Amino acid sequence: MPNTLPRLLLAALLLCTGAAQARGPWRANEANTQGWRLMSPAERIEHQAKVRQFKAYEECHAYQLEHHRLMEARASAQGLTLGPGRRDICAHLLTSGARP
């Protein structure tokens, strides 16, 4: 029984750490980035960094639309069709006080 408290504290700390990581910065991936397969690894990193830097919804949304246009053009050039976007990657700016 004397070892129970340290183990419980360790378990609580690990749970808190995992929760903090889950709310970490947005990460671009195949599930949330239109045209992921059409981007080079360097472009993926650049896209993720660009999306993270936006403070205003309008700028972010304009970038998102341009990115989708570019990915559609790449897909078309390769005879591919992209599915619809899954979510608005800029929506978090609306809840953080940015103007729509």
Side-chain angles (χ1 to χ4, degrees):
M1 283 292 207
N3 291 334
T4 304
L5 184 58
R7 287 183 182 165
L8 287 174
L9 290 173
L10 178 60
L13 179 62
L14 291 173
L15 285 173
C16 290
T17 303
Q21 289 175 348
R23 288 177 273 153
W26 176 81
R27 297 201 187 284
N29 62 47
E30 189 171 356
N32 66 15
T33 304
Q34 191 170 27
W36 175 263
R37 294 180 184 178
L38 302 171
M39 298 166 68
S40 70
E43 287 175 315
R44 293 172 186 161
I45 291 168
E46 181 181 343
H47 172 70
Q48 180 172 278
K50 183 83 171 171
V51 170
R52 285 183 182 171
Q53 63 127 9
F54 289 112
K55 302 291 184 233
Y57 179 83
E58 296 89 356
E59 293 172 2
C60 182
H61 189 67
Y63 171 79
Q64 181 180 17
L65 291 175
E66 178 59 22
H67 173 76
H68 289 177
R69 187 199 62 73
L70 177 62
M71 292 301 109
E72 286 287 345
R74 286 185 187 181
S76 179
Q78 296 180 26
L80 303 171
T81 303
L82 293 181
R86 292 181 181 90
R87 62 179 267 234
D88 181 355
I89 60 171
C90 307
H92 70 282
L93 293 170
L94 294 174
T95 59
S96 66
R99 295 182 328 236

